[in-house]
Amino acid sequence: MNKVLPVMESCSSCPIRHRAVCARCDEDELEQLNQIKFYKTYTAGQTIAMRGDALDVVASVVAGTATLERAIEDGRTQLVGLLLPSDFIGRPGRDTLQYDVTAVTDVTLCCFQRKPFESLLIRIPHVQERLLEMALDELDAARDWMLLLGRKTAREKIASFLMLIAKRTVHPDGQVLGDLSRIELPISREAMANFLGLTIETVSRQFTGLRKDGVIELDGNRSVRIPDLETLLLESGDDSDGGPLI
Amino acid sequence: MNKVLPVMESCSSCPIRHRAVCARCDEDELEQLNQIKFYKTYTAGQTIAMRGDALDVVASVVAGTATLERAIEDGRTQLVGLLLPSDFIGRPGRDTLQYDVTAVTDVTLCCFQRKPFESLLIRIPHVQERLLEMALDELDAARDWMLLLGRKTAREKIASFLMLIAKRTVHPDGQVLGDLSRIELPISREAMANFLGLTIETVSRQFTGLRKDGVIELDGNRSVRIPDLETLLLESGDDSDGGPLI
DNA sequence: CTCTCGCATTGACACAGATCAACGGAGGGT
DNA sequence: ACCCTCCGTTGATCTGTGTCAATGCGAGAG
């Protein structure tokens, strides 16, 4: 757990700075936020919260990966969100959770009791504004995912997922963490299947297909090298126009 | 267009009351909102806005149905939102649109110039709060739809869609508009297919299937009678536990 | 070192839904 | 009345992905 410390360090100066919630906070406001924050850690596989639970905290992911999922009784499961460092969990103004939250690796959360956090929002309106912006970003992401789930082929789904992970392999402050052409998959084949609306077998087959076609190279199960990001983008079925790749 | 007037009437007292944005507005605040609002109408089939357009207004649907959709170049299209009366279009803080907005029937919008609306938000913070709440509602809806797109069968998708329309066949103030067991489909088979991630042929076949099994009765193409809502819910694959049907 | 256990891969086959194609029926213009 | 067009339905067939089953493989325990 040592390697997460630097991130926690940065977190301690402003608890949810990762997504620039507090970009405009002054010293006094930061101090107020710091007073109500605390850290909590979970081990891989542990349930963080379940659907229907009372939601008395909001939190931001400091380290590790968690999933947000929705299931039907017969076992079918859909991953509706992938929570990577800097992502936000829980909502002011909501008192129950709609989804199951699970730690897929060891996870460190920076938490706030919801009630004090909400009162703070009233005093610091630009944080409220920022929360709306974050919610709208998530809404856009969810809608893009709807296009993927409803209209893309298995191969395009895998390519899109790899692009997503590549894009997220950057530090919150904008710096690229490592070589983009080598990414570490944060989740298992099963979680990917549930994220993409596929089965593990199909996920596996598509990985082999992309490997045989030279689009990706596999190094173990969790490490993927991407010789050419542009080729992968082409495979993802997304519009290639407009804007830089990352 | 005569029949929409009553709704516009109610809208004129508070422009976006439909989703209770202004539930807590006092007379003065309502007056401020009324000063910057105006109405705009579109005819069936007309494009309201396209992806990438500058977004200089926000609006609420007063009458009619519009769709929010995302497409890839090869023609594949996914409907990412269905806009019924009381729904909100456009976002404060965003200046371009991410999706195509199309009127599928004649549509009346109650619009606000975005900039004045945003300045108003600063002066009326509880409206900002309400916007966050609305965004989170939409996020939940989008995530539920992800489960449908990724994991449900064609029959379940159709049943879920019918349940959604049945649920929305209520007046914003909570009163049921008509008999819930008879619903009018607001969109064509093609739009349904794009909403559910299916083809028109499959949509058609599932309708016939549900009709033959006595789950629904069809009266023309756009009118559906539901003898037993509970049966339909069962077909939709949703958890039947918890809460009233509507 | 070997045994196990959990995850991933691969193969054979089945099937839901897509695709291709023909037909029907309502509405609107002339 | 007629035709024409658009939309929906139905049928025949194809195919991508799911299902079932066997095998591989790395990590941790003993």
Side-chain angles (χ1 to χ4, degrees):
Chain A
M1 294 282 288
N2 261 347
K3 64 176 177 185
V4 312
L5 280 172
V7 185
M8 291 183 60
E9 216 77 63
S10 90
C11 182
S12 74
S13 70
C14 174
I16 40 179
R17 74 186 297 202
H18 304 291
R19 298 234 348 224
V21 172
C22 305
R24 281 170 290 165
C25 282
D26 59 30
E27 281 306 312
D28 181 49
E29 288 165 353
L30 284 183
E31 184 49 34
Q32 289 182 52
L33 279 165
N34 278 335
Q35 274 172 16
I36 59 166
K37 81 153 192 249
F38 58 97
Y39 292 101
K40 209 161 170 184
T41 62
Y42 297 85
T43 57
Q46 203 178 349
T47 297
I48 297 176
M50 287 187 64
R51 187 173 175 222
D53 280 1
L55 195 64
D56 50 355
V57 297
V58 296
S60 126
V61 179
V62 175
T65 304
T67 59
L68 217 58
E69 50 190 21
R70 185 82 197 249
I72 14 193
E73 286 110 335
D74 61 13
R76 282 179 288 177
T77 297
Q78 177 68 44
L79 224 145
V80 296
L82 186 62
L83 299 165
L84 300 176
S86 86
D87 284 329
F88 198 73
I89 309 178
R91 298 300 165 203
R94 295 277 160 128
D95 45 274
T96 58
L97 195 62
Q98 309 291 318
Y99 310 99
D100 300 328
V101 187
T102 313
V104 292
T105 63
D106 289 352
V107 166
T108 305
L109 297 183
C110 174
C111 308
F112 303 84
Q113 292 295 336
R114 192 163 63 85
K115 289 295 173 193
F117 186 77
E118 283 172 12
S119 355
L120 221 57
L121 284 187
I122 297 169
R123 274 176 286 157
I124 316 178
H126 60 75
V127 173
Q128 172 102 349
E129 221 173 281
R130 179 65 189 132
L131 285 176
L132 177 59
E133 205 180 311
M134 283 167 59
L136 294 175
D137 283 344
E138 283 184 73
L139 188 55
D140 282 340
R143 286 173 165 167
D144 282 346
W145 216 247
M146 284 170 62
L147 175 66
L148 176 144
L149 291 170
R151 291 299 183 208
K152 287 190 182 176
T153 65
R155 178 182 257 240
E156 288 171 335
K157 286 177 175 181
I158 298 291
S160 301
F161 175 73
L162 293 175
M163 283 302 295
L164 173 77
I165 300 302
K167 279 182 187 161
R168 285 300 301 264
T169 307
V170 291
H171 200 268
D173 63 12
Q175 282 180 332
V176 173
L177 273 184
D179 184 2
L180 274 185
S181 69
R182 170 167 298 287
I183 59 181
E184 293 299 312
L185 304 179
I187 54 175
S188 68
R189 296 288 187 271
E190 187 186 13
M192 276 186 247
N194 287 335
F195 199 15
L196 300 170
L198 299 170
T199 59
I200 21 177
E201 293 93 332
T202 302
V203 171
S204 188
R205 276 186 252 272
Q206 296 304 329
F207 265 96
T208 342
L210 288 169
R211 180 171 52 70
K212 282 185 177 157
D213 295 346
V215 181
I216 60 173
E217 289 161 29
L218 294 173
D219 177 21
N221 287 330
R222 293 295 188 101
S223 180
V224 181
R225 215 184 75 77
I226 303 166
D228 181 25
L229 215 51
E230 195 68 47
T231 309
L232 185 64
L233 181 62
L234 237 53
E235 293 284 353
S236 77
D238 282 331
D239 298 5
S240 47
D241 64 336
L245 238 53
I246 298 295
Chain B
M1 294 282 288
N2 261 348
K3 63 176 178 185
V4 312
L5 280 174
V7 187
M8 291 183 61
E9 215 76 64
S10 89
C11 181
S12 75
S13 70
C14 174
I16 41 179
R17 74 188 296 204
H18 303 289
R19 300 236 343 227
V21 173
C22 304
R24 281 170 289 165
C25 283
D26 59 31
E27 282 306 311
D28 181 48
E29 288 165 352
L30 285 183
E31 184 49 33
Q32 290 181 51
L33 279 165
N34 278 334
Q35 274 172 14
I36 59 166
K37 82 154 190 247
F38 59 99
Y39 293 101
K40 209 161 170 184
T41 61
Y42 297 86
T43 57
Q46 203 177 350
T47 297
I48 297 177
M50 287 187 63
R51 185 170 177 225
D53 280 2
L55 195 65
D56 51 354
V57 298
V58 295
S60 126
V61 178
V62 176
T65 304
T67 59
L68 217 57
E69 49 190 23
R70 184 82 197 249
I72 10 192
E73 286 111 335
D74 62 12
R76 282 178 287 176
T77 298
Q78 177 67 46
L79 223 146
V80 296
L82 187 61
L83 299 165
L84 300 176
S86 88
D87 283 330
F88 198 73
I89 309 177
R91 297 302 165 203
R94 293 277 159 127
D95 45 272
T96 57
L97 196 61
Q98 310 290 318
Y99 311 99
D100 300 327
V101 188
T102 313
V104 293
T105 64
D106 290 350
V107 166
T108 305
L109 297 184
C110 175
C111 308
F112 303 85
Q113 292 295 336
R114 191 163 65 85
K115 290 295 173 193
F117 186 77
E118 283 173 11
S119 356
L120 219 58
L121 285 186
I122 297 168
R123 273 176 288 157
I124 316 178
H126 60 76
V127 173
Q128 171 103 348
E129 219 175 282
R130 179 65 188 132
L131 285 176
L132 177 59
E133 205 180 311
M134 283 167 58
L136 294 175
D137 283 344
E138 285 183 72
L139 188 55
D140 282 341
R143 285 172 165 168
D144 282 347
W145 216 247
M146 284 170 61
L147 175 66
L148 175 144
L149 291 171
R151 292 298 184 210
K152 287 191 181 174
T153 65
R155 178 182 258 241
E156 288 171 336
K157 286 177 175 182
I158 299 289
S160 300
F161 174 73
L162 293 174
M163 283 302 295
L164 173 77
I165 301 301
K167 279 181 187 162
R168 286 299 301 265
T169 307
V170 292
H171 201 267
D173 62 12
Q175 281 181 333
V176 173
L177 273 184
D179 185 1
L180 273 184
S181 68
R182 171 168 296 287
I183 58 182
E184 293 298 313
L185 303 179
I187 54 176
S188 68
R189 296 287 188 270
E190 187 185 13
M192 276 186 247
N194 287 334
F195 199 16
L196 300 169
L198 299 170
T199 59
I200 25 176
E201 292 94 332
T202 302
V203 170
S204 187
R205 277 186 250 272
Q206 296 304 328
F207 265 95
T208 349
L210 288 169
R211 179 171 52 73
K212 282 186 177 157
D213 295 346
V215 182
I216 59 174
E217 290 161 29
L218 295 173
D219 177 21
N221 287 330
R222 294 293 188 101
S223 180
V224 181
R225 216 184 75 77
I226 302 165
D228 181 24
L229 215 51
E230 196 68 47
T231 309
L232 186 64
L233 180 62
L234 236 53
E235 293 283 354
S236 78
D238 284 331
D239 298 5
S240 46
D241 62 336
L245 238 51
I246 299 294

